[in-house]
Amino acid sequence: MTKIPVLEIFGPTIQGEGRVIGRKTMFVRTAGCDYRCSWCDSAFTWNGSAKEEIRLLTAKEIYKELRQVGGDNFDHVTISGGNPALIKGIQNLVNLFEEKDIYTALETQGSKFQPWMTQINDLTISPKPPSSNMIPDLDILDSVIEKCVHETLNLKVVVFNEEDYKFAKVIHHRYPSIPFYLQVGNPYLDDDVEHHTDKLLSKYEELVHRVIKSSDMNHVYVLPQLHTLLWSNKKGV
């Protein structure tokens, strides 16, 4: 049976981002990514620093561990990364979640489509802005979005600076019918940052004020990274 490269299985916790912010969930974090974002808060999924921690697991083994870790205290699983959309074998896991009546969430940058993405209950596509030093291929993004189920789809752009905000406008107006979320970026990636929550809240307030003054950003949602406000950069929550 196809195996999935897994780095972390943890929870229950809360989802900190996108449309399902605040949702009680378990996490399955996969290894591997086709991007190298400058501010990535999960660089260990692709930079080789955690390669010894990667486990190749079947869908049944992942589900068994989710139950061992989370017991009966969840009905929602977030498939995270890296970029899980690179992994064809997640099809087996998504099928198993459907059999077990488990709701699913996924975030991906929209660089790759897998058929199993149409089965995800809460699908977030998050094109990466200029501050990431990545350049999204918008033609590929168009094709991925076209194949997705729009009832389950939302778009999210992380904003660190004015250039990112301009990029967010482009994405929002390219797909005006898809729910759109702006999220303040977290530039403080060290394990122990003094006044981390206060600094992030200040940046969040700046982004809120920017949106308030934008007549062409009236139909958007502005979010913090909720988990970073609670737990800073701690892993496993």
Side-chain angles (χ1 to χ4, degrees):
M1 184 174 287
T2 303
K3 295 193 175 183
I4 299 166
V6 175
L7 271 169
E8 292 184 297
I9 295 176
F10 63 91
T13 182
I14 57 165
Q15 174 57 252
E17 305 182 3
R19 180 168 64 188
V20 286
I21 189 169
R23 176 65 156 98
K24 184 180 179 182
T25 189
M26 295 289 291
F27 273 84
V28 175
R29 187 182 300 281
T30 60
C33 192
D34 49 336
Y35 275 28
R36 301 291 184 267
C37 295
S38 61
W39 35 251
C40 180
D41 60 0
S42 304
F44 63 92
T45 62
W46 51 260
N47 66 11
S49 63
K51 62 182 180 181
E52 302 301 325
E53 300 173 34
I54 298 172
R55 295 178 294 154
L56 295 177
L57 303 177
T58 65
K60 289 183 178 179
E61 288 170 336
I62 291 171
Y63 182 75
K64 181 180 179 181
E65 187 164 334
L66 283 165
R67 284 300 178 196
Q68 289 173 340
V69 174
D72 294 325
N73 297 327
F74 71 95
D75 66 356
H76 187 281
V77 174
T78 298
I79 304 170
S80 184
N83 183 10
L86 301 177
I87 305 170
K88 185 177 180 180
I90 288 178
Q91 180 69 70
N92 295 328
L93 184 62
V94 172
N95 290 345
L96 182 57
F97 286 153
E98 286 189 342
E99 292 175 19
K100 302 294 186 180
D101 293 324
I102 300 293
Y103 296 92
T104 52
L106 170 79
E107 180 175 319
T108 178
Q109 56 261 46
S111 59
K112 177 76 173 178
F113 176 78
Q114 297 286 355
W116 54 261
M117 288 165 58
T118 64
Q119 297 168 249
I120 297 294
N121 299 107
D122 296 298
L123 175 60
T124 298
I125 292 182
S126 182
K128 303 309 177 189
S131 64
S132 70
N133 293 330
M134 297 290 104
I135 303 176
D137 186 322
L138 295 187
D139 290 332
I140 291 177
L141 182 62
D142 287 344
S143 68
V144 170
I145 287 176
E146 184 179 357
K147 296 171 186 174
C148 292
V149 178
H150 281 215
E151 288 78 10
T152 66
L153 178 63
N154 68 99
L155 288 167
K156 188 191 79 177
V157 173
V158 178
V159 174
F160 284 83
N161 55 38
E162 187 61 32
E163 287 303 307
D164 290 356
Y165 189 67
K166 291 177 181 177
F167 173 80
K169 285 185 179 183
V170 169
I171 296 298
H172 177 42
H173 292 285
R174 191 179 183 93
Y175 314 102
S177 65
I178 301 175
F180 189 78
Y181 293 79
L182 287 170
Q183 182 176 290
V184 67
N186 174 22
Y188 313 112
L189 298 181
D190 293 335
D191 290 337
D192 187 16
V193 178
E194 189 175 7
H195 305 303
H196 187 262
T197 297
D198 290 340
K199 290 177 178 178
L200 286 178
L201 284 174
S202 178
K203 288 190 172 293
Y204 177 52
E205 186 175 13
E206 289 174 11
L207 181 57
V208 168
H209 285 304
R210 185 179 284 145
V211 171
I212 287 172
K213 296 176 182 178
S214 296
S215 62
D216 54 354
M217 294 290 269
N218 288 344
H219 196 57
V220 303
Y221 303 83
V222 190
L223 300 179
Q225 266 192 321
L226 185 59
H227 58 291
T228 61
L229 295 181
L230 290 172
W231 297 301
S232 187
N233 298 315
K234 185 179 178 182
K235 286 176 62 177
V237 290

